[in-house]
């Protein structure tokens, strides 16, 4: 029971933009020509030949011609969806009319490019009435070019306060007979222009984190059956920062992110997939550290921790500057509190199968147990963590599995890499669980 | 001058759910039978016989019979309100019709159960129009069973993006003549299902914190004269985590929380009450520590702090790795910055009385002074903190006092425990201040 | 291309309130009489003779007379705008009628006070319909007193959940023919009363941070072409806390803040201006420290950092407890990751001019390089940080420059201080860039 979606993919991990025409190159279409030939983990779920900000205004006419040529040649074989970005601005009728003409030119071309194009990306939208103007232009393009009404999807970039407010109107407006807003697909945050529109400033010029914007985008997507995508992460070299941002986003229900390079595409295609192997975490002084697994034991080597077994059979245990003397059970309780387990994909499938079996036996809730032997300063302690699973836990745990299933279904070009990552056996079990 | 509330209680601290029918027990009503007999701090402000998620689908028919039987027997003596949770889903007409029949069966029973039931809890609501469907069923139940229209209250669980958006419409919709939404009582967050609906994921499967959802729920409650309640805190053993969550919630204006066990009920009934004794806090490196009170002096024993009086009469003072040489006044200023005071209920009453007297003398603002002697490394320094109180400060300080007064009025079964906690004298003064 | 604003100033840094009538003083108008004579950095952008909370109810009649007298005498020469605060309450018709009479008395006075008054501040507003009541009173005041309809601006204090929700309706309501809401100017948060209205509580009585409220106010201002202002910062002695709050606010697009004293006015007038000199920051363990510039080298003296050049030509580099041996390039990479640069106003102007020149040459994006020599433990390492600038970066960087230009245009009384701060040459270049 979820909101009905009007598109195929349930999840989009990657939104990859490429300049449509680059000045001073022998082949101005060079960037999109190479992007169109990406495959596997390097190929995005959604590829965006970008005829707006990534392309100089003087090159955009040529950019449209390049899109037509490259998509006509490579579109049929591209493993992801193709959504060119055209120009648009809520405050400029001239720019909006340009955007319309760009879409029409692509759709009306005598190549078959439009057959490989899944939709268009409309930047700089304003109120919901502005979204309807773009929607109407798409309807006209479809009619003029003999396409089915509503067959082209529309994604928007949220980069103004007005557009953020419009996220609250979507669900209500999408049903109205006078528009075709059911064609909506992605809600993408554009934090650079949003920052400008909000007139926000930071000392170093770094972008603000905008947690409320991301929440509202994710919620708008959830309420209207759409997909939320975060904006570009400018510091391409900072892979760890990009991963942290994605982890934060997923906790907000935003599973996709913009990618600026094939390297970022690989990161962003991989990050939302369930872990390959499970791992134990320990949290000390608000810092979380992954324990190292050695011979089936989880070893914590942290200056902040010290553990010693006393002659009395008790333990002296120090966390930061706080030292306690504990018996074995008390020590175990402390360690259970400090640790957490990150399940692997295989672990999640195991738990789901176990719960399904229990449910078939008429049980509503069961305890799932996770055991480990922890080693601190060469002292080993075995412990078990319990978690109650009921129907709601089961369904929440299912999200990463649904994502994996969706990726597998929609991206045959990634099958080999996925099987190499997890093993064919686990992939097979994952594909059949919970469906 | 506050939004008019259509129910008796101004505050709800505790929302305690119990399974209505447990399989494999001799008495399937065992859980609700014992819950119905809770008294004092173990009894919740709102008790929820839970015929939805806490009860297996196959047991829910029996669950309704159990509710009728147990509430008819024990309802008259139960010290809190009783609000059974029925089944509902914004996307399933069959489930909604089931929910209607469950309410009707309880209300139409030939026992007097319905007379002890204050309202119903409706989970999994969607848009405001979905809330109206539940409201309409309640109106029909009332009419069919000869009850006054609007006498049954309705509480909802917010566990979808749509429902979160509906929180913004409440105030406007509640006045409309075609509904009885004035019956609304609690807005309860349901983070497990919300997480699923938002398709959010965390590495360990832990729930995201959802600060924006809690803000929006609290704001919706404030704007519509309702009460906001946070969802279940799963890790029953983690008492400190539960308390931290409640502190966070109260700073958002959300004074109630779900409880899963009588132990959690005690914690959640106690936490929002004003402190029994005042205490001094010191904040070093973003960590707040309570000072230990010894013989009327407040002792700070922290590795991060060092203080030494020099022969010159000056002081060497170290905070973390930052060491300064200061004269007495400078040292005092530093300590005033680092410390804060948590007032006891008696302190708040004192300040309120002092401000009321000043106001009677025509003063708009007065300084309240709080003095203490701090001891660090056996060096003692006396200091005073001033705070300006005006009408707004007075009214904001009144919130915990109003909560206490509301609890005292509505929960005679807790009088003995409250008097034991604070002393009869302070209870009496608290009951008469600010009214 | 930005939302059209119906007022002169693009930015308001300071909102300074003064009691209109103080009991027990020989001259009850003493406070506003001295405030009216503030000049330069001590004078606020918006001055608010406060006939509401800052003035005792019994003194408010006299307060109106004082406003008339003082504004008639000093208003023509006051360098900022003048917006008296009158009484209002969403739940009290009597208070609202009082507010109307206060505005009418000021506007109808036979002095020319009203000619120097730019608008009124309306506290304690509720739903948008309540805002319209205040707007209608202003329209009546204008008509009765022969003023142009809409010439008085209206600013509101957001101090209830209802008013926060109304922020989402503004843009749509402002265009309607039946109101003059285009007169809206400032959206000011009032966290003390908001906290009371939300019934929020903190252990020490300190105000909650309310990040969502500030986001929603800033977004509402952005969407409706208004200016967002944060509420009072009570701890007047805590200058660093006030600065931190303003830095946080600017990252939310809220560039103005309430000031309670001329000292806070100076701080708040200065804080949003671009830095006088650039500086390097280093971030270690989530703590950011400014490096000290000595002889053109940036010196990091932090216990958390240690650097040693080994005989092998490699480096031993410790950050916190994490020690690594690195070659020069690896060390440089680490330092690039740890550092950030805060540009001076002159740096921003340089970058903007450089980008403008590149754009004139047909380039869409260029790399801006920032170089420095860092010194840690007397070991010197030179490094360069690159940042790509495109049109969007350029426009976002422009915000502090636009603010400076707006201040310069509207506050001739601050020219001397601005030129002293930055040098006349840099001021001149700043005034002509990007316009």
């Amino acid at each position: 029971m979820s909101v009905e979606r009007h598109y195929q993919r349930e999840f989009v991990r990657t939104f990859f933009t490429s300049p449509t025409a680059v000045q001073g190159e022998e082949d101005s279409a060079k960037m999109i020509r190479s992007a169109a030939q990406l495959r596997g983990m390097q190929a995005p779920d959604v590829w965006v030949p970008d005829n707006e900000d990534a392309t100089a205004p003087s090159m955009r006419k040529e950019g449209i011609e390049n899109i037509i040529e490259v998509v006509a040649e490579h579109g049929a074989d591209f493993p992801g969806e193709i959504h060119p970005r055209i120009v648009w601005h809520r405050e400029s009728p001239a720019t909006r009319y340009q955007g319309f003409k760009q879409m029409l030119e692509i759709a009306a071309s005598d190549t078959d490019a439009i057959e490989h194009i899944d939709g268009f990306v409309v930047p700089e939208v304003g109120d919901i009435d502005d979204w309807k103007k773009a929607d109407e232009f798409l309807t006209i393009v479809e009619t003029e070019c003999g396409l089915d009404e509503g067959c082209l999807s529309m994604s928007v970039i949220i980069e103004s306060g007005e557009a953020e407010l419009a996220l609250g109107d979507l669900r209500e407006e999408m049903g109205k007979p006078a528009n075709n807003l059911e064609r909506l697909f992605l809600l993408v945050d554009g934090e650079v222009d949003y920052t400008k529109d909000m007139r926000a400033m930071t000392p170093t010029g770094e972008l603000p984190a905008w947690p409320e914007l991301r929440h509202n985008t994710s919620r708008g997507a959830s309420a209207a059956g759409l997909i939320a995508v975060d904006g570009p992460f400018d510091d391409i070299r900072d892979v760890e920062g990009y991963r942290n941002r994605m982890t934060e986003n997923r906790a907000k229900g935003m599973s996709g992110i913009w990618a600026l390079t094939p390297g970022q595409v690989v990161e962003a295609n991989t990050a939302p997939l369930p872990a390959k192997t499970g791992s134990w975490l320990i949290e000390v002084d608000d810092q979380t550290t992954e324990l190292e697994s050695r011979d089936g034991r989880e070893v914590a080597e942290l200056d902040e921790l010290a553990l010693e077994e006393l002659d009395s059979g008790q333990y002296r245990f120090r966390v930061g500057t706080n030292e306690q003397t504990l018996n074995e059970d008390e020590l175990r309780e402390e360690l259970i509190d400090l640790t957490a387990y990150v399940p692997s994909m295989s672990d999640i499938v195991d738990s789901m199968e176990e719960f399904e079996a229990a449910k078939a036996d008429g049980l509503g809730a069961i305890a799932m147990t996770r055991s480990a032997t922890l080693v601190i300063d060469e002292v080993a302690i075995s412990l078990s963590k319990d978690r109650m699973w009921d129907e709601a836990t089961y369904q929440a745990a299912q999200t990463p599995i649904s994502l994996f299933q969706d990726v597998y279904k929609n991206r045959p070009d990634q099958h080999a890499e996925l099987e190499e990552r997890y093993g064919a056996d686990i992939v097979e079990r994952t594909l059949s669980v919970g469906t």
Side-chain angles (χ1 to χ4, degrees), chain A:
Chain A
M1 284 185 297
S2 69
V3 175
E4 195 189 345
R5 295 167 196 278
H6 298 265
Y7 46 83
Q8 290 245 315
R9 296 193 67 97
E10 288 284 320
F11 292 90
V12 164
R13 296 165 293 173
T14 34
F15 179 94
F16 175 51
T17 49
S18 319
T20 56
V22 186
Q23 199 162 30
E25 298 284 342
E26 203 174 324
D27 172 16
S28 76
K30 182 184 155 182
M31 297 293 281
I32 52 172
R33 205 179 302 280
S34 73
Q37 296 175 67
L38 293 171
R39 295 293 180 273
M41 295 307 270
Q42 287 209 316
D45 288 341
V46 166
W47 174 47
V48 182
D50 183 359
N51 209 48
E52 199 224 12
D53 275 4
T55 300
S58 60
M59 298 299 288
R60 290 178 188 163
K61 199 175 159 31
E62 193 168 332
I64 292 296
E65 291 158 18
N66 287 344
I67 293 173
I68 294 169
E69 184 210 323
V70 170
V71 173
E73 184 178 351
H74 296 288
D77 298 327
F78 188 74
E81 296 200 3
I82 304 178
H83 296 252
R85 174 155 78 156
I86 48 97
V87 298
W88 191 265
H89 203 290
R90 58 196 175 282
E91 286 160 10
S92 164
T95 306
R96 294 196 295 269
Y97 185 48
Q98 277 302 114
F100 166 62
K101 286 195 292 187
Q102 290 177 358
M103 294 191 290
L104 187 60
E105 186 177 341
I106 293 172
S109 109
D110 52 12
T111 69
D112 65 350
I114 194 64
E115 286 177 35
H116 310 306
I117 284 175
D118 300 275
F120 288 95
V121 176
V122 184
E124 294 288 3
V125 290
D127 305 278
I128 193 76
D129 280 354
D130 187 57
W131 304 32
K132 290 178 190 166
K133 296 172 192 170
D135 165 50
E136 170 67 356
F137 280 151
L138 275 159
T139 301
I140 290 174
V141 165
E142 287 162 344
T143 315
E144 284 302 302
C145 301
L147 302 166
D148 288 345
E149 202 170 310
C151 76
L152 292 170
S153 79
M154 171 172 140
S155 300
V156 294
I157 319 275
I158 309 297
E159 36 198 339
S160 64
E162 295 98 286
E164 187 187 348
L165 287 168
L167 294 167
D169 302 324
L170 267 188
R171 187 172 155 83
E172 199 172 316
E173 295 288 342
M174 277 171 69
K176 293 190 176 167
N179 66 54
N180 286 314
L181 284 177
E182 296 88 342
R183 68 168 84 247
L184 279 166
F185 176 41
L186 304 177
L187 302 174
V188 185
D189 284 340
E191 281 96 349
V192 177
D193 277 321
Y194 180 83
T195 298
K196 179 192 72 177
D197 187 73
M198 293 283 278
R199 306 197 303 176
M201 298 178 262
T202 59
T204 59
E206 187 189 34
L207 289 175
W210 298 119
E212 296 90 356
L213 169 67
R214 288 181 283 152
H215 175 74
N216 292 337
T217 305
S218 181
R219 180 185 63 180
S222 173
L226 307 177
I227 295 175
V229 173
D230 193 19
F233 190 84
D234 274 346
D235 191 347
I236 295 167
R237 296 173 334 113
D238 183 6
V239 175
E240 199 183 324
Y242 193 51
R243 285 185 192 149
N244 290 342
R245 177 73 170 207
M246 290 189 279
T247 302
E248 233 182 61
N249 285 344
R250 285 196 300 279
K252 290 173 165 292
M254 182 177 255
S255 51
I257 194 166
W258 203 301
L260 295 166
T261 64
Q264 282 194 335
V265 172
V266 172
E267 287 298 328
N269 272 341
T270 309
L273 297 174
K276 204 164 130 183
T277 52
S279 57
W280 284 85
L281 306 178
I282 195 155
E283 191 183 319
V284 179
D285 289 348
D286 293 329
Q287 292 225 299
T288 300
T289 311
E290 189 177 324
L291 303 189
E292 200 180 320
S293 211
R294 286 190 210 143
D295 309 326
R297 294 152 42 125
E298 316 301 323
V299 182
E301 284 174 344
L302 285 169
D303 291 348
E304 288 78 9
L305 288 181
L307 180 59
E308 185 188 352
E309 187 169 0
L310 305 175
D311 293 340
S312 58
Q314 291 210 300
Y315 295 86
R316 186 174 295 139
F317 183 43
R318 182 178 59 76
V319 180
T321 56
N322 175 24
E323 194 170 87
Q324 295 173 278
T325 302
L326 305 166
N327 67 30
E328 191 174 336
D329 283 346
E330 292 164 342
L331 174 62
R332 189 170 284 123
E333 284 298 303
E334 284 289 315
L335 290 173
I336 287 173
D337 283 352
L338 294 176
T339 52
Y341 182 70
V342 177
S344 66
M345 187 159 87
S346 158
D347 291 328
I348 302 173
V349 171
D350 285 349
S351 298
M352 287 178 66
E353 288 177 350
E354 197 175 327
F355 182 78
E356 286 171 1
K359 195 162 59 170
D361 290 350
L363 290 175
I366 57 169
M368 299 283 181
T369 301
R370 180 77 49 196
S371 301
T373 302
L374 252 69
V375 179
I376 300 173
D377 292 346
E378 307 195 348
V379 182
I381 298 287
S382 60
L383 54 83
S384 296
K385 288 177 87 87
D386 283 336
R387 192 171 171 203
M388 286 305 298
W389 271 54
D390 63 10
E391 184 65 28
T393 331
Y394 170 79
Q395 290 190 17
Q398 202 171 352
T399 302
I401 299 302
S402 302
L403 182 141
F404 180 88
Q405 292 168 343
D406 190 57
V407 165
Y408 197 88
K409 179 174 142 205
N410 288 288
R411 295 295 303 272
D413 62 311
Q414 296 185 347
H415 286 186
E417 280 162 293
L418 293 173
E419 273 151 27
E420 192 185 351
R421 182 181 166 91
Y422 295 104
D425 172 50
I426 290 168
V427 167
E428 197 179 325
R429 286 176 56 216
T430 306
L431 293 176
S432 58
V433 78
T435 50

